[in-house]
Amino acid sequence: MKHLLLLIVIGFAIGIVLGFMNIAFNFWIFVALLVVAFFALSFQDIRFMFLSRDVVRIEKYLQKKRHEPYYGFILELANGNLPEAKKQLEDLEKKWKGKKTAIFRAQYYLRAGNIVRAKEEVELIDQQDMKNYVLAAIAAMEKDDAKVEELKGSLKKDWMNHVIETERAKNKKNFALAKENKELALASTKGLQYFMIHKEYENL
């Protein structure tokens, strides 16, 4: 957001300067330059959120942005610091006024091993693919293989299927299979999702 505001201010400033200097310019070229500048300024965010597999650098990025509750929550949850993750989650809910935070609450309760609360939260998740993913994770934790198989077909992203299989194998003490699926999950994603999977199953 601050990058966008900065570009708007710079754009207005350039427009005023060009106006005073009576220099004509092509509006669409100007817009294209602003878009390129926006992506250049935002590249670090895009890189670490969606493109990187460098866990150390992603963690440093999250630590730098931990004052924002979204990033703080991801950082603390990934590191298993549940009390601080809960505090960040509460701050996030205040900031977002409760909108679309059910997925974060469900993730928190899954990580805390509170399946009862996770089941309550999953009903409030709007995005169907994420809802099915959490339901499959709950089924895996409950060792309900029939339910997992029923839900797996609705998981559209490869990393989701591999994480569910990792959790299922781990709960059955089949650590070799769990590790194999963890590596497949990591190979099929990048960015913050990669970071969270790596951290959660770091000891496999």
Side-chain angles (χ1 to χ4, degrees):
M1 179 60 78
K2 66 180 180 181
H3 291 155
L4 182 58
L5 291 173
L6 178 62
L7 283 174
I8 290 171
V9 170
I10 291 172
F12 273 117
I14 292 172
I16 290 169
V17 170
L18 291 176
F20 275 117
M21 296 176 69
N22 200 25
I23 297 174
F25 64 96
N26 184 296
F27 174 76
W28 292 112
I29 292 177
F30 183 68
V31 169
L33 288 173
L34 283 179
V35 170
V36 169
F38 174 74
F39 278 106
L41 287 171
S42 302
F43 178 71
Q44 179 172 279
D45 293 333
I46 293 169
R47 176 179 158 200
F48 290 123
M49 288 182 70
F50 304 110
L51 303 176
S52 179
R53 286 192 171 118
D54 189 328
V55 172
V56 173
R57 297 189 72 178
I58 293 173
E59 185 153 16
K60 287 180 180 177
Y61 167 78
L62 290 172
Q63 287 170 344
K64 184 178 177 181
K65 296 178 74 74
R66 69 186 306 163
H67 61 281
E68 297 179 38
Y70 170 74
Y71 298 102
F73 173 72
I74 291 172
L75 176 65
E76 302 301 345
L77 188 69
N79 283 317
N81 187 352
L82 295 180
E84 186 59 30
K86 185 69 181 295
K87 180 180 178 296
Q88 294 286 346
L89 180 56
E90 290 168 355
D91 290 343
L92 181 63
E93 288 179 323
K94 288 175 187 174
K95 184 175 181 178
W96 289 7
K97 298 181 173 27
K99 295 178 181 177
K100 300 188 183 299
T101 55
I103 182 60
F104 302 117
R105 293 195 301 271
Q107 286 179 311
Y108 170 82
Y109 288 118
L110 279 176
R111 190 68 187 269
N114 191 335
I115 295 176
V116 173
R117 289 299 304 272
K119 285 180 176 180
E120 292 173 3
E121 296 299 339
V122 76
E123 297 303 320
L124 304 174
I125 297 173
D126 292 329
Q127 310 98 303
Q128 192 60 49
D129 58 337
M130 292 305 297
K131 188 171 190 173
N132 291 338
Y133 172 64
V134 175
L135 286 169
I138 291 170
M141 291 177 74
E142 293 183 323
K143 300 180 181 178
D144 186 344
D145 288 339
K147 187 68 174 177
V148 171
E149 291 300 326
E150 177 187 331
L151 289 163
K152 275 183 64 181
S154 64
L155 303 181
K156 298 177 182 178
K157 297 178 180 177
D158 289 341
W159 68 262
M160 292 181 174
N161 275 294
H162 294 312
V163 168
I164 295 304
E165 288 303 322
T166 301
E167 191 65 31
R168 182 152 66 160
K170 182 171 75 82
N171 291 336
K172 292 179 177 179
K173 312 285 187 200
N174 188 341
F175 297 113
L177 182 58
K179 185 174 182 179
E180 180 183 329
N181 277 287
K182 178 194 82 168
E183 295 302 327
L184 289 170
L186 290 172
S188 60
T189 191
K190 296 177 182 178
L192 296 185
Q193 193 61 59
Y194 181 96
F195 176 77
M196 293 188 74
I197 294 169
H198 174 87
K199 284 287 188 175
E200 184 165 1
Y201 298 109
E202 195 168 15
N203 294 324
L204 275 178

